[in-house]
Amino acid sequence: MPTPTLSPHDEMNVYASAEARFEIAARKLGLEDGVYRFMRYPNKEITVYIPITLDNGRLEVFIGYRVHHSLVRGPCKGGIRFAPNVTLDEIRALASEMTWKCAVVNIPFGGAKGGIICDPGKLSRGELERITRRYTAELIEWFGPERDVPAPDLGTNEQVMAWIMDTYSMHARRTTTAVVTGKPIEMGGSQGRHSATGRGLLIVCDKAMAKFGKRRGDARVIVQGFGNVGSAAASLMHAAGYKVVGIADIHGGLYDEKGFDLPAVENWVLRQHKPLPDFPGGGTPMSAQEVLFQPCDILLPAAIENQITSENVHRIQASILCEGANGPTTAYADEGLDAKGIFVIPDILANAGGVTVSYFEWVQDREGFFWRESMVNERLKDVMEHSFDEVVRYSEAHAVNNRIAAYMLAIDRVAFVLKLRGIYA
Ligand code: GLU
């Protein structure tokens, strides 16, 4: 087995971070060489060039990617992001993390990820629709309920999923709701999917608090990010009795040791569409990154990758780090977290509530029978609590941190099925 590939100048390369963690876990597991080689690489990757006519009549070509990392345990599953800085390396890393995430929570999917280099904030609704439809049409053979099932991620939402579902269905000549998850409820979406990632984060924070014999009311929480994940996590944690003392969106952050009135923040940001740092209800303004280093018990980064690095990890004051975003911590920062004794709930466990309810949505679409929200939430709680216990048990049994334990558990599960199926080589 080759030596780990991470070199210091790679710290901000998310694929290098993903590889480094995979290597550590694979070594600890003593994976046999052929299995290791198979699992180390994605299944396939595609770049698509997406010509669309802009509203001003000019033809522009956008670049999109889709990576299938693993089909071993089931169809590929993973979001599509629309962002100006999307790279193939990033999508490749995120696709592999989806494989491990689905395996950690033991749902029957492999991992995938997609992305389009574009700035959704600067495109009209019509332009976004055309980009989405053409991307879907280019990938028509890749997608399918039994092949690859996309979902929302950074910069995409229910509406984008509705366009994907419609485009796929037009080509397939039949309505195929199960080709995509995170759809509007009215067209085959699941109750509870919108806030599922945030709810999952609350559930694992509750588990960590119980493990340390602490009560919700004793814990100060900082949430970085106020998108789909961060806003739901902050609101649900506030409603559950946690004290949310730090918040941030792309415009900047606020810290207030007295705690924020989350319904008022939600109203300001999500309904009035105002920048979070201008919130009139108190708090000291600071940058979105600075908010990570303020006093708190639970730190919940739920924005973008590479926020916690080897340079700044020593400044974290939390005792629990719960990763709402994908890859908010670089592999180089892991050692620093261990040295400080921070209890990490790694992204592939912490934010798996989203893909878990995506799985429930896929099941409901295929069954044509829809569940009440209480049933979705109850089943989500069961999956998240059980997965948390399994990761912590694995970490104790193998004397590794929670992140490596989660990777080991996931890789072991994929390797087990791979050996049963055999490698068609
Ligand atoms: N984009 C989300 C994630 O990174 C959800 C993926 C899904 O539901 O397929 O986990």
Side-chain angles (χ1 to χ4, degrees):
M1 205 180 278
T3 47
T5 44
L6 192 66
S7 74
H9 70 267
D10 275 341
E11 171 156 13
M12 305 310 255
N13 179 331
V14 281
Y15 188 59
S17 274
E19 271 195 313
R21 288 161 175 158
F22 172 77
E23 301 273 352
I24 297 170
R27 267 160 200 278
K28 294 254 179 216
L29 282 170
L31 271 196
E32 60 194 68
D33 202 53
V35 171
Y36 161 82
R37 279 176 201 283
F38 181 97
M39 287 172 58
R40 190 164 181 262
Y41 297 102
N43 178 263
K44 41 177 140 37
E45 308 176 339
I46 190 167
T47 301
V48 290
Y49 294 87
I50 308 159
I52 69 133
T53 308
L54 298 174
D55 291 350
N56 64 12
R58 202 163 54 85
L59 188 125
E60 187 58 87
V61 180
F62 292 83
I63 298 174
Y65 306 107
R66 187 75 182 165
V67 174
H68 285 182
H69 179 262
S70 171
L71 299 109
V72 173
R73 285 169 42 91
C76 294
K77 188 83 193 81
I80 297 176
R81 56 175 54 184
F82 287 180
N85 54 354
V86 163
T87 64
L88 180 56
D89 252 4
E90 174 196 20
I91 299 301
R92 199 182 271 149
L94 292 165
S96 70
E97 281 167 14
M98 285 309 302
T99 300
W100 315 133
K101 192 185 298 188
C102 293
V104 166
V105 287
N106 215 354
I107 57 177
F109 289 130
K113 202 82 177 192
I116 299 178
I117 306 173
C118 67
D119 187 344
K122 293 199 177 125
L123 293 161
S124 71
R125 183 183 160 93
E127 289 166 338
L128 280 173
E129 176 172 353
R130 294 196 287 285
I131 291 175
T132 305
R133 288 189 184 277
R134 180 67 194 244
Y135 173 78
T136 309
E138 291 296 335
L139 289 169
I140 209 79
E141 293 89 3
W142 282 50
F143 293 150
E146 261 120 38
R147 291 190 187 128
D148 175 6
V149 185
D153 199 78
L154 216 71
T156 56
N157 55 22
E158 279 102 340
Q159 178 61 74
V160 173
M161 299 306 116
W163 291 326
I164 295 177
M165 187 283 236
D166 182 70
T167 310
Y168 182 89
S169 298
M170 291 292 111
H171 283 264
R173 299 279 186 262
R174 57 180 173 273
T175 295
T176 312
T177 51
V179 68
V180 82
T181 61
K183 300 177 291 294
I185 290 175
E186 298 75 10
M187 50 174 282
S190 176
Q191 297 286 345
R193 175 63 186 86
H194 190 75
S195 53
T197 312
R199 185 172 296 281
L201 293 163
L202 166 65
I203 296 167
V204 292
C205 285
D206 278 352
K207 287 290 288 179
M209 293 289 286
K211 180 173 163 54
F212 295 113
K214 288 194 193 155
R215 287 173 310 126
R216 286 169 170 173
D218 301 334
R220 296 158 303 161
V221 182
I222 292 176
V223 181
Q224 185 203 40
F226 215 75
N228 287 351
V229 178
S231 64
S235 301
L236 287 166
M237 295 201 61
H238 172 82
Y242 287 92
K243 191 160 147 190
V244 179
V245 293
I247 44 181
D249 72 357
I250 42 166
H251 305 286
L254 288 174
Y255 182 82
D256 187 346
E257 60 181 17
K258 294 195 298 297
F260 288 95
D261 172 5
L262 254 297
V265 178
E266 264 198 299
N267 186 38
W268 181 257
V269 179
L270 304 181
R271 275 174 282 287
Q272 298 190 45
H273 305 288
K274 302 261 181 59
L276 185 140
D278 299 343
F279 176 63
T284 310
M286 60 191 69
S287 74
Q289 192 167 49
E290 207 44 41
V291 90
L292 296 171
F293 312 122
Q294 305 308 308
C296 67
D297 301 286
I298 300 178
L299 179 60
L300 211 159
I304 52 168
E305 54 268 9
N306 292 340
Q307 295 300 290
I308 300 167
T309 68
S310 57
E311 299 283 305
N312 65 30
V313 63
H314 64 278
R315 296 186 58 204
I316 291 182
Q317 306 199 40
S319 52
I320 296 171
L321 171 64
C322 180
E323 297 181 334
N326 289 316
T329 308
T330 68
Y332 260 92
D334 284 346
E335 245 174 67
L337 292 171
D338 287 345
K340 285 175 74 84
I342 295 173
F343 185 85
V344 178
I345 315 176
D347 48 5
I348 58 171
L349 166 66
N351 71 35
V355 75
T356 301
V357 176
S358 276
Y359 166 55
F360 296 161
E361 181 173 329
W362 180 80
V363 168
Q364 293 170 75
D365 287 340
R366 285 158 61 100
E367 224 181 1
F369 178 73
F370 291 86
W371 313 346
R372 283 189 305 276
E373 186 173 358
S374 56
M375 182 183 280
V376 172
N377 291 345
E378 203 180 296
R379 289 183 168 169
L380 171 65
K381 188 163 185 275
D382 186 54
V383 169
M384 295 304 293
E385 290 189 342
H386 185 69
S387 307
F388 179 97
D389 288 340
E390 282 188 309
V391 169
V392 170
R393 242 195 327 268
Y394 214 96
S395 137
E396 286 162 5
H398 296 265
V400 291
N401 63 33
N402 288 342
R403 190 187 311 281
I404 297 303
Y407 269 78
M408 286 171 75
L409 179 65
I411 293 169
D412 202 21
R413 281 187 177 149
V414 178
F416 187 80
V417 178
L418 182 60
K419 282 187 238 162
L420 284 177
R421 289 178 68 155
I423 299 176
Y424 186 10

